[in-house]
Amino acid sequence: MSAVLSVARNELRHLVRSRVALTGLVLTALLTLAAALTSSAYQADQAGLRERLQASADAEFESQPDRHPHRVVHYGHFAIRPASGLAALDPGVEAFTGNMIFLEGHRQNSANFGDARQSSLLVRFGQLSPALVLQVIVPLLLVFIGAAAIAGERERGTLRQAVLAGVPGRSILAGKALALGLATLAIAAPAILLLVWLAMTGPARPSAVLLAAGGYGVYLGFWIVLIVAVSALAGRSRTSLMTLVGAWAFAVILVPRIAPELAAGARPLPTRIETDIAIARDLRSMGDSHDPDDPYFAAFKQKTLRQYGVTRVEDLPVNYRGLLGMEGEKLTSSLFNRYADQAFAAMADQSRIMDALAVLSPTIAIRRLSMAAAETDLGGYRRFLQQAEAYRYELIQRLNWLQATAVDAEDDAAKGSDAAAEARSRVSADHWRDMPRFNPARPTPGEVIRGALPALIVLLLWFAAAGLLAGHAARRLRSAA
């Protein structure tokens, strides 16, 4: 152990004396700090903005005057996605998916107001966040400052002296890795402090913080061990540097960029126009509630009359138009849900293809784990859409039932031509204030961990592979020296 510490001290002393290495470490640490501060401030501002927008939408909905329930169906409401606890670490797909949905009867709307659609084109290249720095920039810096860790000593002749002095090869590699690990810890300190602050102030769960910290620890540990192993196996510093830069470009840039294209090509998604046309076609084939000769709604009418034990719509104890609204909403919602499930099934297939390609790049695995821990992945977006749709459906059906039970059928039929009937068809505004508010539930810690577990396993396998390579390099170190 003393040999490992001695090697680590010498390597740290060399890094401090090297102006290039020290400058790179300081600048990257400052970049991590800037990313942590700006991302934290932005997400805190977003969280407050979303809370205010949801409160404003609730207040606007509840402040409606007395009116016909079906007018409220078309007046609509808004559902706004709350900010996740670790979005300051990794904003994930939130910049592209949108965070606000307009809820109305007879249709499902997509989320809008994503940052990528409202901000500059730079957002499309990735927001400056601690996740981006740790995933992309820190490994590249480690490559430049660590490529010559052992190969450089071989060129200077000091490696031969250490080996002949009886220092084991594994101690040399362990000491170099420990020095790089301490340098990495200094660079990542702002991100670590951000995680601790998020856990202490409440928005982030401790389990998610530990999961993210563990995942990034394994990911950066893989790069440290790989760099030391390649430096030990390479004959010259230049060879080591070129090999490691090539590995970084392949694993961090090339594969993560090509993987989405391969996934989209293997499991293409229909365009928005194609989906809208298909939905409109299916809606026409479902029946027309305004057509008395429509087969489906004629059967529904007879079923309703039998259910209430009457022979005429006029004898029903409820307003038949409200019942028609409920049945129509059930049909259209099932259709929209079917198309949404098909789209998300295709996205899930694409995600599985991406996960499979993680065997070529640990960066894909850490991105999956990071977004899953931050609840900013595709699964979190789908959960928001599903909960917003469930809320929309319940809200619209409550309003339809209110029309069926609180609005007289004769007044409802005559409201277009009779001002008095129109006034009587309005219901009290107290009903809008009694409607439930949108309050989405977060996934449980167990669900978050299960979602990130496959990516964590892949990262551990990458780390184990780097460890095996380092063990082989340690065995060859004496003969190579």
Side-chain angles (χ1 to χ4, degrees):
M1 187 63 182
S2 59
V4 174
L5 295 177
S6 177
V7 172
R9 281 196 299 269
N10 290 333
E11 183 65 20
L12 287 174
R13 190 179 299 114
H14 172 72
L15 291 176
V16 172
R17 291 176 178 176
S18 172
R19 293 184 178 180
V20 175
L22 183 60
T23 301
L25 289 171
V26 172
L27 290 179
T28 307
L30 291 175
L31 180 62
T32 308
L33 176 62
L37 293 176
T38 57
S39 183
S40 176
Y42 175 77
Q43 293 299 331
D45 180 70
Q46 282 291 299
L49 175 62
R50 295 182 195 181
E51 289 179 2
R52 293 192 299 272
L53 288 175
Q54 188 65 72
S56 176
D58 292 337
E60 289 288 338
F61 183 82
E62 294 172 0
S63 65
Q64 296 178 82
D66 297 351
R67 57 175 43 169
H68 192 283
H70 198 69
R71 290 187 178 272
V72 183
V73 168
H74 290 285
Y75 180 83
H77 200 3
F78 282 95
I80 300 166
R81 183 182 182 182
S84 62
L86 282 180
L89 172 71
D90 191 343
V93 300
E94 285 195 352
F96 305 92
T97 56
N99 302 296
M100 181 184 295
I101 301 179
F102 179 59
L103 309 176
E104 59 180 327
H106 317 315
R107 62 180 296 131
Q108 282 185 11
N109 295 313
S110 57
N112 292 310
F113 305 109
D115 290 343
R117 298 182 181 180
Q118 304 178 88
S119 304
S120 67
L121 291 176
L122 292 177
V123 175
R124 298 180 183 271
F125 293 93
Q127 294 173 296
L128 179 61
S129 64
L132 178 65
V133 176
L134 295 177
Q135 293 170 13
V136 178
I137 299 176
V138 172
L140 182 60
L141 175 68
L142 294 176
V143 165
F144 278 105
I145 67 175
I150 298 177
E153 291 201 19
R154 180 183 288 110
E155 293 175 334
R156 293 189 298 270
T158 54
L159 178 62
R160 180 189 298 273
Q161 297 175 7
V163 171
L164 293 178
V167 180
R170 61 179 179 274
S171 297
I172 295 176
L173 265 72
K176 300 290 186 179
L178 178 59
L180 283 180
L182 293 174
T184 305
L185 190 63
I187 297 172
I192 297 173
L193 293 176
L194 173 64
L195 288 174
V196 173
W197 181 78
L198 291 174
M200 293 179 61
T201 55
R205 293 167 172 163
S207 59
V209 170
L210 292 176
L211 178 63
Y216 278 104
V218 175
Y219 174 71
L220 295 176
F222 157 77
W223 280 105
I224 291 169
V225 175
L226 177 67
I227 290 168
V228 172
V230 172
S231 182
L233 291 172
R236 301 174 60 186
S237 299
R238 180 177 299 178
T239 303
S240 173
L241 179 60
M242 292 179 61
T243 302
L244 288 168
V245 169
W248 175 86
F250 179 81
V252 178
I253 303 298
L254 183 62
V255 176
R257 178 64 186 87
I258 294 178
E261 304 297 334
L262 294 176
R267 187 65 164 90
L269 279 170
T271 65
R272 176 68 178 271
I273 295 178
E274 291 173 339
T275 302
D276 289 344
I277 292 175
I279 291 176
R281 182 184 61 246
D282 290 349
L283 283 173
R284 286 196 301 268
S285 65
M286 290 176 62
D288 184 2
S289 61
H290 301 287
D291 183 3
D293 298 325
D294 182 84
Y296 179 86
F297 283 98
F300 172 74
K301 176 180 177 181
Q302 295 302 319
K303 176 184 175 182
T304 303
L305 294 177
R306 288 194 302 269
Q307 178 182 350
Y308 285 94
V310 296
T311 58
R312 298 188 313 155
V313 169
E314 292 77 10
D315 297 330
L316 287 171
V318 293
N319 186 349
Y320 182 65
R321 292 192 177 198
L323 299 181
L324 275 179
M326 295 184 69
E327 184 66 16
E329 192 64 42
K330 184 177 72 172
L331 290 176
T332 56
S333 295
S334 64
L335 175 64
F336 292 135
N337 288 336
R338 176 160 58 85
Y339 275 94
D341 290 341
Q342 291 175 359
F344 276 109
M347 294 179 193
D349 290 341
Q350 292 179 354
S351 296
R352 282 189 286 269
I353 295 173
M354 290 282 293
D355 292 342
L357 291 174
V359 299
L360 300 177
S361 169
T363 305
I364 294 178
I366 188 58
R367 286 181 180 177
R368 177 66 179 270
L369 182 146
S370 180
M371 289 190 295
E375 301 173 26
T376 57
D377 58 349
L378 181 62
Y381 174 61
R382 183 178 186 181
R383 172 183 288 272
F384 165 62
L385 292 185
Q386 288 176 331
Q387 294 189 40
E389 169 55 21
Y391 173 77
R392 184 201 71 85
Y393 182 75
E394 180 186 2
L395 179 66
I396 299 303
Q397 293 297 58
R398 281 173 176 257
L399 293 170
N400 286 329
W401 180 246
L402 187 62
Q403 180 182 0
T405 56
V407 179
D408 182 77
E410 293 183 2
D411 291 337
D412 204 2
K415 65 180 183 298
S417 57
D418 186 345
E422 193 278 333
R424 290 193 299 270
S425 67
R426 300 176 187 176
V427 299
S428 172
D430 292 335
H431 291 95
W432 326 140
R433 290 185 284 272
D434 292 337
M435 294 292 174
R437 292 189 173 186
F438 180 61
N439 187 25
R442 294 180 61 185
T444 64
E447 291 173 336
V448 173
I449 293 174
R450 284 194 297 271
L453 188 58
L456 180 59
I457 293 174
V458 172
L459 285 173
L460 291 173
L461 292 176
W462 274 104
F463 184 81
L468 292 176
L469 182 64
H472 172 68
R475 291 189 295 270
R476 290 191 53 186
L477 198 59
R478 177 175 292 274
S479 60

